[in-house]
Amino acid sequence: MTLRDKAQEILNLYNYYTGAIITDKEGTIIYYYNRMKDVNSLEADEVIGKSVLQLYPSVKKEDSSIYRVLKSGVPIYDAKQKIVNCKGDEFDSVNSTFPIKSGSEIVGAVEIYYYADYNEIQYRIDSIDKDMIKGSLFSLYSSDDIISESDIMADFKTKIKRISMTDSTVLIYGETGTGKELVAQAIHSGSARRGKSFVSQNCAAIPQNLLESILFGAVKGSYTDAQDRPGLLEVADGGTLFLDEINSMESSIQPKLLKAVEEKKITRLGDSKPIYVDVKIISAINESTETIHESGSLRKDLIYRLNTVCLKIPPLRERIVDIAPLSKSFIKEFNYAMSKNIIDLTEEVYDIFSGYDWPGNVRELKNIIEGAFNL
């Protein structure tokens, strides 16, 4: 598969971005997609085969996110840039840029972008957890990517594979840092929907008054500055929608989500026309269902509908044996990113780690190792 052939897979992951650029290792553009030509009037035939610096002379090489990623191999997230292209179009852009690797060699870069004046921040989807990003942009996690040597995780991965074979709703319960999105991706990757979109949204990450339009879409005029825009349920049609921290969802939206899950149809905000969708819903919570029942943060009928299958991620303190393989994996990752040659943790450190409670779980372990690399 060529770099150009991967473009559609990229856009499936970042459905709400304005467009994408793929370059080779020299910074020459080999793929270009832009759906807002009224903002940036450059056409594909004017772009392909030219360098980023030719098209955007206002950007210096040392400031270019693409050239920085080509040099370092480290992804850059949500970099804000004020751009003037070679035609004189001026616009504000927010870019996320990733290296394309063949083994350890950087062979190109992909940049996904949106124009800040047109795509309000609430419509941007982060379909890959930035703390759990994989070495390759073009594939989601599978159950085989979950690093473990413990019996409890072997059983857990078997459950993932079984769950992947159905379209039933799944509710994932895991403490902070256990990798709930990683598990959601693994379910999608093992399913018959793996060739379709995997769309992710953290329900606590955006203002609640915007969540309804994000989930269900909107039509022009339904509220101030509203444009015709599909919601996440439409974008994920045929694929999977992952709703993290769903217990933070405002109560007024919950009946509409329940109706959408049961009837497999949605109505955009401000519209009366139903739109049928075929979506597998995976949701996640960071507190137990018993606690949620007691607090009343989620309607009971919605919990029952989303909780067809309940999957509890074992916390790190219950699988201490996995600290060693996880640590070795993070050391390998940071050796590459920081050009170091750390071999392993000392026995003293392993003893300390084994006796620690790990309230932040795998993410905390990764952050501690990264901090040690820096110091």
Side-chain angles (χ1 to χ4, degrees):
M1 183 181 286
T2 67
L3 297 184
R4 286 176 61 90
D5 293 334
K6 297 202 181 262
Q8 188 56 52
E9 292 184 53
I10 298 166
L11 296 176
N12 279 343
L13 297 179
Y14 286 84
N15 296 282
Y16 270 78
Y17 277 73
T18 303
I21 291 175
I22 301 178
T23 75
D24 62 16
K25 62 183 178 180
E26 306 298 332
T28 301
I29 296 172
I30 59 174
Y31 177 85
Y32 175 77
Y33 168 77
N34 173 33
R35 65 180 177 84
M36 285 239 169
K37 295 185 177 64
D38 53 333
V39 180
N40 180 1
S41 59
L42 288 173
E43 299 282 353
D45 57 1
E46 301 174 290
V47 169
I48 303 299
K50 295 182 179 178
S51 76
V52 173
L53 301 180
Q54 285 178 284
L55 299 168
Y56 302 103
S58 65
V59 179
K60 297 179 181 179
K61 187 173 184 177
E62 59 269 23
D63 297 328
S64 166
S65 50
I66 285 180
Y67 280 99
R68 286 161 58 198
V69 166
L70 287 172
K71 182 178 180 180
S72 69
V74 179
I76 294 174
Y77 304 105
D78 295 339
K80 298 178 182 178
Q81 289 184 306
K82 188 171 288 291
I83 304 292
V84 180
N85 68 21
C86 58
K87 287 186 172 183
D89 299 328
E90 298 183 28
F91 48 89
D92 293 321
S93 178
V94 180
N95 313 320
S96 290
T97 313
F98 305 88
I100 301 171
K101 298 177 183 177
S102 177
S104 60
E105 181 186 0
I106 299 172
V107 296
V110 56
E111 184 161 275
I112 315 293
Y113 57 87
Y114 72 97
Y115 300 133
D117 289 344
Y118 283 76
N119 287 51
E120 301 88 343
I121 190 68
Q122 66 266 26
Y123 284 101
R124 181 167 52 84
I125 302 173
D126 294 322
S127 294
I128 299 179
D129 186 334
K130 293 171 184 176
D131 293 319
M132 297 288 181
I133 186 108
K134 203 175 177 185
S136 169
L137 175 66
F138 307 113
S139 58
L140 299 173
Y141 282 105
S142 72
S143 58
D144 294 333
D145 294 311
I146 298 175
I147 298 169
S148 69
E149 294 178 354
S150 61
D151 292 340
I152 190 173
M153 287 305 292
D155 180 61
F156 182 77
K157 289 195 280 187
T158 298
K159 289 179 180 178
I160 289 177
K161 292 177 180 179
R162 289 176 179 171
I163 292 168
S164 299
M165 300 172 70
T166 75
D167 283 335
S168 300
T169 58
V170 180
L171 182 65
I172 300 171
Y173 164 50
E175 298 175 8
T176 181
T178 49
K180 293 183 284 293
E181 177 148 352
L182 184 157
V183 172
Q185 289 184 17
I187 294 171
H188 173 80
S189 298
S191 73
R193 297 173 179 267
R194 58 185 171 272
K196 301 294 184 178
S197 297
F198 174 87
V199 180
S200 171
Q201 179 63 59
N202 187 315
C203 297
I206 52 175
Q208 289 296 305
N209 62 330
L210 300 172
L211 186 58
E212 183 176 359
S213 60
I214 291 171
L215 289 175
F216 301 101
V219 295
K220 189 173 182 178
S222 57
Y223 57 88
T224 304
D225 297 327
Q227 301 294 322
D228 288 330
R229 201 184 292 271
L232 301 190
L233 284 153
E234 278 185 76
V235 172
D237 188 30
T240 302
L241 174 61
F242 174 56
L243 298 174
D244 198 4
E245 296 193 57
I246 196 167
N247 48 305
S248 66
M249 180 181 290
E250 194 171 284
S251 58
S252 62
I253 305 174
Q254 294 179 28
K256 192 169 183 179
L257 178 61
L258 176 63
K259 184 179 175 69
V261 174
E262 290 181 337
E263 299 182 358
K264 298 186 182 300
K265 64 181 179 181
I266 56 102
T267 304
R268 289 186 184 182
L269 196 64
D271 199 2
S272 59
K273 178 183 176 183
I275 300 171
Y276 289 87
V277 291
D278 171 26
V279 181
K280 181 180 177 75
I281 303 291
I282 303 175
S283 49
I285 52 177
N286 54 17
E287 53 187 3
S288 68
T289 53
E290 291 80 8
T291 302
I292 290 175
H293 274 301
E294 291 173 5
S295 67
S297 57
L298 277 179
R299 291 168 54 116
K300 290 184 178 180
D301 50 0
L302 181 59
I303 294 176
Y304 298 144
R305 192 64 186 84
L306 296 176
N307 196 22
T308 304
V309 179
C310 187
L311 197 59
K312 183 181 182 296
I313 305 176
L316 188 56
R317 63 181 174 275
E318 294 180 5
R319 49 187 183 105
I320 295 298
V321 68
D322 288 336
I323 288 177
L326 285 166
S327 297
K328 287 178 171 60
S329 175
F330 296 145
I331 287 170
K332 182 179 179 181
E333 177 182 339
F334 292 128
N335 271 334
Y336 181 83
M338 300 185 191
S339 299
K340 296 192 177 185
N341 190 29
I342 306 299
I343 298 172
D344 202 347
L345 305 181
T346 65
E347 288 301 321
E348 181 184 7
V349 173
Y350 273 124
D351 288 343
I352 294 170
F353 280 7
S354 297
Y356 182 55
D357 198 40
W358 296 107
N361 291 286
V362 177
R363 184 181 291 120
E364 183 181 8
L365 173 62
K366 183 176 183 179
N367 289 344
I368 286 175
I369 291 175
E370 183 177 4
F373 261 78
N374 279 275
L375 297 174

PDB file of all heavy atoms in Angstrom, residues 12-13 42 94 202 324 372:
ATOM      1  N   ASN A  12     -10.697   8.670   7.804  1.00  0.00           N
ATOM      2  CA  ASN A  12     -11.680   7.946   8.605  1.00  0.00           C
ATOM      3  C   ASN A  12     -11.440   8.159  10.097  1.00  0.00           C
ATOM      4  O   ASN A  12     -12.368   8.151  10.895  1.00  0.00           O
ATOM      5  CB  ASN A  12     -11.614   6.440   8.312  1.00  0.00           C
ATOM      6  CG  ASN A  12     -12.371   6.083   7.056  1.00  0.00           C
ATOM      7  OD1 ASN A  12     -13.179   6.862   6.576  1.00  0.00           O
ATOM      8  ND2 ASN A  12     -12.083   4.913   6.510  1.00  0.00           N
ATOM      9  N   LEU A  13     -10.174   8.366  10.472  1.00  0.00           N
ATOM     10  CA  LEU A  13      -9.851   8.589  11.871  1.00  0.00           C
ATOM     11  C   LEU A  13     -10.123  10.023  12.290  1.00  0.00           C
ATOM     12  O   LEU A  13     -10.444  10.303  13.427  1.00  0.00           O
ATOM     13  CB  LEU A  13      -8.374   8.269  12.131  1.00  0.00           C
ATOM     14  CG  LEU A  13      -7.942   6.823  11.897  1.00  0.00           C
ATOM     15  CD1 LEU A  13      -6.455   6.688  12.167  1.00  0.00           C
ATOM     16  CD2 LEU A  13      -8.707   5.883  12.792  1.00  0.00           C
ATOM     17  N   LEU A  42      -6.009  26.852  -2.707  1.00  0.00           N
ATOM     18  CA  LEU A  42      -5.077  25.963  -3.409  1.00  0.00           C
ATOM     19  C   LEU A  42      -5.772  24.678  -3.836  1.00  0.00           C
ATOM     20  O   LEU A  42      -6.487  24.052  -3.060  1.00  0.00           O
ATOM     21  CB  LEU A  42      -3.888  25.627  -2.514  1.00  0.00           C
ATOM     22  CG  LEU A  42      -2.878  26.754  -2.260  1.00  0.00           C
ATOM     23  CD1 LEU A  42      -1.864  26.323  -1.215  1.00  0.00           C
ATOM     24  CD2 LEU A  42      -2.185  27.153  -3.550  1.00  0.00           C
ATOM     25  N   VAL A  94      -5.065  24.980  12.721  1.00  0.00           N
ATOM     26  CA  VAL A  94      -4.638  24.148  13.851  1.00  0.00           C
ATOM     27  C   VAL A  94      -4.292  22.772  13.287  1.00  0.00           C
ATOM     28  O   VAL A  94      -5.138  22.112  12.684  1.00  0.00           O
ATOM     29  CB  VAL A  94      -5.736  24.035  14.926  1.00  0.00           C
ATOM     30  CG1 VAL A  94      -5.255  23.163  16.078  1.00  0.00           C
ATOM     31  CG2 VAL A  94      -6.133  25.417  15.433  1.00  0.00           C
ATOM     32  N   ASN A 202     -14.836  12.392  24.126  1.00  0.00           N
ATOM     33  CA  ASN A 202     -14.897  12.465  25.581  1.00  0.00           C
ATOM     34  C   ASN A 202     -16.008  13.425  25.957  1.00  0.00           C
ATOM     35  O   ASN A 202     -15.951  14.614  25.657  1.00  0.00           O
ATOM     36  CB  ASN A 202     -13.549  12.939  26.145  1.00  0.00           C
ATOM     37  CG  ASN A 202     -13.509  12.869  27.652  1.00  0.00           C
ATOM     38  OD1 ASN A 202     -14.448  13.270  28.342  1.00  0.00           O
ATOM     39  ND2 ASN A 202     -12.414  12.358  28.178  1.00  0.00           N
ATOM     40  N   ALA A 324       6.702  -5.066  34.526  1.00  0.00           N
ATOM     41  CA  ALA A 324       7.956  -5.297  33.802  1.00  0.00           C
ATOM     42  C   ALA A 324       7.785  -5.176  32.277  1.00  0.00           C
ATOM     43  O   ALA A 324       8.500  -4.402  31.637  1.00  0.00           O
ATOM     44  CB  ALA A 324       8.549  -6.651  34.180  1.00  0.00           C
ATOM     45  N   ALA A 372      11.630  10.225  34.304  1.00  0.00           N
ATOM     46  CA  ALA A 372      12.971   9.753  34.603  1.00  0.00           C
ATOM     47  C   ALA A 372      13.892   9.933  33.400  1.00  0.00           C
ATOM     48  O   ALA A 372      15.076  10.271  33.553  1.00  0.00           O
ATOM     49  CB  ALA A 372      12.910   8.281  35.028  1.00  0.00           C
TER      50      ALA A 372
END
